[in-house]
Every structure is written in C-alpha cells, then in structure tokens.
Amino acid sequence: MSTPKKLTAAAALALPLALLLAGCAGGGADADASGSAAENEVVRIGVVGAGDPYWETYTEAAAEEGIEVELVDFSEYSQPNPALSAGELDLNQFQHIIYLATYNVQSGDDLQPIGATAIYPLGLYSTQYDSVDDIPEGSTIAIPNDESNGARALLVLQSAGLIELEDGGSAFSTPAEVIEDESKVRVEAVAADFTASSLPDFAGAVVNNDFVTKSGLTEDELLAQDDPADPSAFPYINIFAAKAEDADNPTYLKLVEIYQNTQAVQDGVLDVSGGTAVLVKTPVDDLLTSLKDVEDDIRADS
C-alpha cells in the first residue's frame, strides 16, 4: 500500500541492487583461537528440502573444513524458526528477510541473518492452462498461506493482470485487499507445501521454489513469475539465520563462506532452481538493515 504504514514492493528496497551481487542455539559449535572451525563439532542446520543434492555436497565441503553438519529437514516453513529459538537447531537456512522479519515481530524474537544465499523467483504454475490469457474469468488461484509469501504471490498475480490490489499492493498485502470487481480471478490461501499438489483443483497456483522441483513441475507449466534481479526483490534474499547471541560465531560464519564459495554447492543450487536463482553474497550489515526496516514497517502496520 502507498500509506506510510505499508511498504510498497518498490519501497521495500532501501539499498541498491549492486549490493545483491557484492561480494543459534546454546550447544552450537565452537571455534579455536585462530577463528577456524574446531574439529569434530556438530552444527545442526534446519532446512526445507534436505533431499536436494547440493546439501550433500555442502556437508562434505564442511567436513573437509573440520565441521560436521547435521541437516534437520522440515516439511513446513512454520517449523524451523521456533526450533532455532528453542535451541533445537544452531542455524536454519530456508527463508527470506521478509519471512524472518514477520516471525520476529509476531514472536517477539530476535533471530538474525548471518549470510545471504540467493533470491528465487516466485512463479504461477498451471497444469490446465498454457498461458495467463487462457485462465477463465472467475476461476480460483491458490497462493501460499503464510503472510510474506502470500503477499508476494498477490503481487505476482497483479503483475500478470489477474488481480487488482488496493492502493497498488505491497509486501504486506493480504487476500482481503483483492479488489474483486476489478480482478479476473479469485485467490485462496493454502499451505505452501500443498500449493503444487492442489493444482488439479485450481486454475493455477503460486508455488514456492522449494516445492517446484520435488512436485515435478517444469518450465512448461510456468505461466508468470516475478523478477529476482529487480531491486524490489532485496527483502526476498534468502539467508542463514542464527540466534542473536550466535551471530558472530566463527564456525557459523565459516559455514556461510563454505556455502557461498564452494562452486559445486553454488552449481547445485542453480541446478535445483532450474537456473532461475540469483546467487548473492550480500554484506551482513545490509541484510540487518533491511531486516530492521521491514520489522519497523510491520510494527507500524499492526
């Protein structure tokens, strides 16, 4: 929305796009005096999609640096942050800045980004229609039911000409803000991990990247998507997150470096995304600034 309390999609970016390409719980791993990872320490990292091949490559690369990584796989986005807050994890890597900001504000927590991974496009898929123009008037599109991805999905649908949002929409739009008499379709929010499997019941669905490959969707079913290289995509940078007191842990920061600098890992991330991911090494200070800005906007809107 264009009011001061709402962050528009464009205003969500307070830092230049060039920054995109620059470049925990108690019981977490320690480091030796030189700052290198200590031998035989186990770091538990929560992820969504541990079966993606690049994670095995990553854990092997970490082991070569003396860090044992245990991946904890979650099926729903709602699970890894509470697990990190509760000390069941040392790190997680599944979310973008807006999702983390929403969690922090709603839970009163202070999880922090310690490194960037990639920006992924969010796409509209259909197994019934070949183009946006073919989608019938009055049909229904499924979107993720979590607030941050749901708002982003609404912006994708608006860009595709399928809906109109009040005041042009924002990074915090909800289905209640869809202007029905100016929109071609209706929207229905479902759990993010069910958007792809629900496609037979809907004209289309906006599906998070985590669930595209594992559901068997291909580029042939992709009708529209947002642009991860657009400056307004900055708050959708995916991150490694840690508890605030662990944000400077040398072992955890080393794990970020391994992810960002191991070519086989980076190639694997690109492969799983179908070549659509924009890999980033955004400075942590810029991630923290963006997180604070989004948190402030969420609080102002509440």
Side-chain angles (χ1 to χ4, degrees), residues 28-244:
D30 296 320
D32 61 27
S34 66
S36 60
E39 296 285 344
N40 301 320
E41 295 289 355
V42 179
V43 180
R44 290 169 58 85
I45 304 178
V47 302
V48 176
D52 291 336
Y54 69 83
W55 280 120
E56 181 177 356
T57 306
Y58 174 72
T59 57
E60 291 172 352
E64 291 176 2
E65 298 290 338
I67 309 171
E68 182 179 350
V69 170
E70 178 185 347
L71 297 177
V72 181
D73 197 18
F74 294 91
S75 61
E76 298 179 4
Y77 291 139
S78 60
Q79 299 169 330
N81 279 334
L84 178 57
S85 297
E88 298 167 8
L89 303 172
D90 300 302
L91 302 170
N92 66 42
Q93 198 280 288
F94 76 101
Q95 66 191 320
H96 47 57
I97 292 170
I98 291 182
Y99 190 96
L100 177 58
T102 302
Y103 171 79
N104 278 346
V105 171
Q106 292 182 347
S107 67
D109 213 329
D110 189 27
L111 302 183
Q112 294 187 5
I114 65 167
T117 60
I119 302 176
Y120 298 93
L122 188 64
L124 168 65
Y125 292 82
S126 178
T127 55
Q128 301 181 47
Y129 304 103
D130 296 326
S131 72
V132 169
D133 292 339
D134 292 337
I135 295 177
E137 183 118 13
S139 57
T140 303
I141 304 292
I143 65 170
N145 68 353
D146 62 274
E147 293 180 17
S148 58
N149 288 307
R152 189 181 180 191
L154 292 172
L155 294 173
V156 170
L157 296 181
Q158 180 169 253
S159 295
L162 292 172
I163 64 171
E164 290 293 332
L165 295 166
E166 295 176 1
D167 297 323
S170 77
F172 307 117
S173 290
T174 69
E177 296 171 29
V178 175
I179 305 172
E180 293 186 7
D181 59 0
E182 296 181 18
S183 299
K184 182 179 180 181
V185 301
R186 296 185 295 270
V187 297
E188 182 174 329
V190 302
D193 53 325
F194 286 118
T195 51
S197 60
S198 68
L199 273 168
D201 301 319
F202 294 96
V206 179
V207 182
N208 292 68
N209 186 269
D210 285 322
F211 306 113
V212 170
T213 303
K214 64 180 64 174
S215 65
L217 291 172
T218 68
E219 191 174 352
D220 292 337
E221 286 89 31
L222 177 63
L223 306 189
Q225 65 181 20
D226 56 8
D227 182 3
D230 189 279
S232 65
F234 193 100
Y236 295 109
I237 294 175
N238 278 48
I239 54 158
F240 279 90
K243 297 183 76 172

